[in-house]
Amino acid sequence: MADSKIELLLKKREKLLKGGGDKAIEKQHKLGKLTARERLDLLFEENSFRETQLFIKNRCTHFGIQGKDFPGEGVVTGHGIVDGRPVYAASQDFTVAGGSVGEATAQKIAEVMNAALKTGDPFVMINDSGGARIQEGVDSLTGYGHIFYRNVLLSGVVPQISIIAGPCAGGAAYSPALTDFIVQVRHEGQLYITGPLVIKQVTGEDISAEQLGGVESHAHYSGVVHFIAENDEDAINITKRLLSFLPSNNTEDPPYYPEMHDDEILPNETMNGIVPEDSREPYDIHEVISGVVDQRDFLEIQEHFAPNIIVGFGRLTGRTIGVIANQPLHKAGVLDIDSSDKASRFIRFCNAFNIPVVTFVDVPGFMPGVKQEYGGIIRHGAKMLFAYASATVPKLTVVVRKAYGGAFLAMCDKSMGADTLCAWPSAEIAVMGAEGAVNVLYRKEISEAGDADAERTRRLDEYKDTFANPYFAASHGMVDDIIEPADTRAYLAAALEVLRAKRELRPQKKHGLIPL
Ligand code: HXC
């Protein structure tokens, strides 16, 4: 072949790989941001990334952009290797027309998503864009439609992770919202449906873009974002760590890391001392979780949102588990609207991707209050029941302390499908707490007694002696075993080993109707 043809190719490629050019790249760097390709370089193993459709051009013939060059159409797409496994990615290039999405941009993104679906590999989308390319009008709008549609097709088939590393505003925010996990970069990433100017016009509220769509608002209040990253590199590292817990698709098991399992790290006697004597005293459930998972390595998800429940991934004997745990340090670990939503979503993710669910229970009940009732705690709490009962992955439950009423069922007791349930000696498994029960049962007796306080104390002690322990429930077959806390890891590991063969078939249906 004539050298000139190869030279032409190399020249064209070199120009395209520069994206918006040196000046735009410098501007991106000055903002503390990496370019689209630099981000992918961090994500993929060296020399493993294969770019797709670099030479694509838009066919737009109107609004002054006819013939205008948008190298790569403002997005870098392709596949590469992350920790030995193939992963597909699209990384928006802000240096090219602000990463705006035109018809061809959307076509590129949709095609890697199609490929991820066909080969069963995870899809990572790095967002840094001014949204729909305004000059292309409805062609870019429908482009977004193609992306959203594929987000839904991929859902539950391959893991989808979104990184918000720049603006992601308006309807564009719905693509990350349709994916499984969102990692947002502090200061760089901004995510909102309507910006500060529109809000000011419509509602009169004054708010900055950062306050509206920055990490704090989404990680703490809206619950839209799952991880806060301090910069681009951190976002990529979080993504890789997350991927290390996940299977490539819904037909595979999560990766197995036998080297993570080490008998030396079996919890020592400190496990037995975590739960305080006084059952009203709080403690940190993280201590229990890290006393169970391999190498005390736990990846918490939505750490700042609804902290009264903890969810995240760990490993047990080298295999991924999804952990759900009430946190007595926050609101005494009560279940409310946000914690129910958080846990239900996580349980459904685990079930879709063959990840066994381990639940640690210390729940005083559902949150009382007008705000909760008007906000639909019935509907939201029902999601927990639905998510657990419909999950067919192995379900292992450990009752650490309080397990009261409907909230105990919502944390997966045996009647709701737990394959095995063990309790610590500190467990209090009952239909309701002692105070509430005594008020309902003995109000008349207490008010009529000569010494009301003494009568109340007597009744409380009587109730606690009967019900505030694991033995009554165990005597009725609701508890498989009562174990020493220090044996928890070994108990769960043995249960998980035998449950690996679990197969549970349900009647065919299009889908259940989770109360959304
Ligand atoms: C075309 C765009 C663009 C867009 C940015 N650019 N957004 N071009 N369509 N949506 C271009 C700019 O004209 C500029 O081009 C370059 O990208 C860099 O943008 P700057 O404004 O210079 O950057 P910065 O100051 O950092 O501001 C970034 C920004 C701002 C906050 C994102 O560009 C912005 O507000 N853009 C518009 C956002 C928006 O309203 N999008 C909604 C579109 S409608 P030059 O040539 O000067 O370098 C939509 C609906 C989707 O998204 C619905 C889906 C369902």
Side-chain angles (χ1 to χ4, degrees):
M1 191 191 304
D3 284 351
S4 59
K5 287 202 172 176
I6 292 177
E7 265 170 37
L8 178 68
L9 165 69
L10 296 178
K11 235 167 97 186
K12 276 180 179 281
R13 184 184 292 280
E14 189 186 345
K15 185 156 181 271
L16 288 169
L17 290 177
K18 275 257 167 86
D22 292 331
K23 254 174 123 176
I25 292 174
E26 201 184 314
K27 193 175 161 198
Q28 179 89 342
H29 285 161
K30 270 202 179 131
L31 291 171
K33 291 159 74 175
L34 296 178
T35 63
R37 285 193 173 76
E38 288 166 344
R39 288 168 176 153
L40 292 176
D41 283 347
L42 288 178
L43 177 65
F44 292 115
E45 285 175 17
E46 216 177 333
N47 296 326
S48 72
F49 181 62
R50 289 283 157 188
E51 189 165 342
T52 52
Q53 298 183 310
L54 172 66
F55 295 91
I56 206 166
K57 282 189 173 187
N58 72 77
R59 292 185 287 266
C60 184
T61 55
H62 48 267
F63 222 85
I65 59 167
Q66 186 175 11
K68 208 170 171 186
D69 261 351
F70 293 126
E73 276 300 303
V75 69
V76 183
T77 52
H79 55 88
I81 301 294
V82 178
D83 287 335
R85 293 187 297 165
V87 170
Y88 283 87
S91 180
Q92 291 182 316
D93 186 350
F94 195 84
T95 69
V96 176
S100 55
V101 173
E103 186 187 15
T105 323
Q107 184 189 334
K108 282 180 77 170
I109 299 170
E111 286 204 18
V112 273
M113 294 175 82
N114 288 346
L117 189 65
K118 277 191 265 186
T119 59
D121 294 309
F123 175 62
V124 175
M125 174 84 198
I126 306 177
N127 296 267
D128 186 2
S129 161
R133 188 172 297 151
I134 297 163
Q135 302 94 317
E136 290 197 39
V138 290
D139 287 337
S140 46
L141 188 65
T142 193
Y144 268 112
H146 288 297
I147 297 169
F148 298 167
Y149 186 75
R150 277 158 188 78
N151 283 133
V152 176
L153 289 185
L154 267 63
S155 181
V157 182
V158 296
Q160 299 183 83
I161 301 173
S162 299
I163 296 176
I164 312 298
C168 182
Y174 282 118
S175 172
L178 289 167
T179 63
D180 305 316
F181 299 103
I182 302 181
V183 184
Q184 184 173 7
V185 183
R186 195 184 291 283
H187 304 309
E188 288 174 21
Q190 275 168 7
L191 195 60
Y192 41 74
I193 295 296
T194 49
L197 282 178
V198 178
I199 289 185
K200 176 79 186 159
Q201 265 173 1
V202 177
T203 68
E205 292 162 299
D206 251 324
I207 190 157
S208 71
E210 179 65 25
Q211 279 175 316
L212 183 68
V215 287
E216 295 301 329
S217 53
H218 288 308
H220 287 89
Y221 309 128
S222 72
V224 167
V225 161
H226 301 84
F227 299 97
I228 297 177
E230 295 307 321
N231 50 42
D232 285 339
E233 196 174 351
D234 193 26
I236 298 290
N237 287 337
I238 292 169
T239 303
K240 285 198 215 177
R241 185 156 141 69
L242 179 57
L243 284 169
S244 78
F245 286 98
L246 311 181
S248 291
N249 60 62
N250 63 335
T251 66
E252 291 182 8
D253 285 330
Y256 176 41
Y257 292 92
E259 68 280 8
M260 298 286 288
H261 173 49
D262 178 358
D263 279 332
E264 294 288 301
I265 64 128
L266 276 174
N268 53 29
E269 292 312 306
T270 56
M271 255 326 241
N272 284 349
I274 294 174
V275 174
E277 277 296 315
D278 182 347
S279 76
R280 287 165 306 181
E281 234 183 85
Y283 63 94
D284 188 352
I285 197 78
H286 284 107
E287 289 180 49
V288 175
I289 298 169
S290 61
V292 165
V293 294
D294 289 355
Q295 307 203 352
R296 299 185 170 271
D297 184 28
F298 180 62
L299 176 62
E300 188 166 347
I301 295 162
Q302 290 182 302
E303 184 183 345
H304 307 284
F305 178 68
N308 39 326
I309 206 154
I310 309 276
V311 301
F313 296 115
R315 292 186 185 86
L316 199 54
T317 60
R319 296 180 200 281
T320 303
I321 53 169
V323 175
I324 298 114
N326 308 113
Q327 171 58 293
L329 279 187
H330 291 277
K331 298 183 188 166
V334 75
L335 283 181
D336 56 9
I337 290 171
D338 285 346
S339 59
S340 299
D341 281 0
K342 175 177 165 179
S344 310
R345 178 180 168 126
F346 181 70
I347 296 159
R348 283 163 67 80
F349 179 85
C350 291
N351 191 47
F353 289 103
N354 313 318
I355 297 172
V357 166
V358 177
T359 305
F360 295 98
V361 185
D362 188 349
V363 67
F366 282 104
M367 182 81 161
V370 177
K371 211 170 150 196
Q372 288 289 314
E373 294 290 348
Y374 281 12
I377 182 70
I378 296 173
R379 179 163 52 88
H380 293 276
K383 291 180 200 176
M384 296 272 295
L385 297 163
F386 200 106
Y388 270 124
S390 52
T392 54
V393 287
K395 293 178 282 195
L396 300 83
T397 301
V398 181
V399 182
V400 173
R401 194 168 63 176
K402 293 173 193 148
Y404 286 132
F408 174 40
L409 308 192
M411 292 300 292
C412 202
D413 78 322
K414 288 188 64 165
S415 68
M416 291 302 296
D419 296 297
T420 182
L421 185 145
C422 68
W424 287 10
S426 45
E428 301 171 10
I429 304 174
V431 70
M432 66 192 296
E435 303 282 346
V438 165
N439 272 345
V440 173
L441 295 176
Y442 304 114
R443 194 170 27 193
K444 196 160 157 253
E445 287 85 341
I446 291 170
S447 67
E448 285 171 1
D451 184 343
D453 283 346
E455 180 62 10
R456 179 188 302 280
T457 307
R458 192 179 73 76
R459 296 290 188 180
L460 277 174
D461 287 347
E462 190 183 67
Y463 183 91
K464 282 182 193 161
D465 283 349
T466 314
F467 295 118
N469 59 60
Y471 300 101
F472 188 84
S475 73
H476 287 235
M478 295 165 197
V479 172
D480 290 311
D481 201 1
I482 302 167
I483 61 168
E484 230 187 279
D487 287 337
T488 310
R489 184 177 147 88
Y491 180 93
L492 292 174
L496 204 59
E497 188 57 31
V498 76
L499 283 165
R500 277 180 59 209
K502 181 184 175 188
R503 293 286 176 271
E504 192 180 328
L505 296 176
R506 302 279 175 99
Q508 276 287 332
K509 57 183 158 183
K510 205 164 173 190
H511 56 74
L513 294 160
I514 188 163
L516 293 171

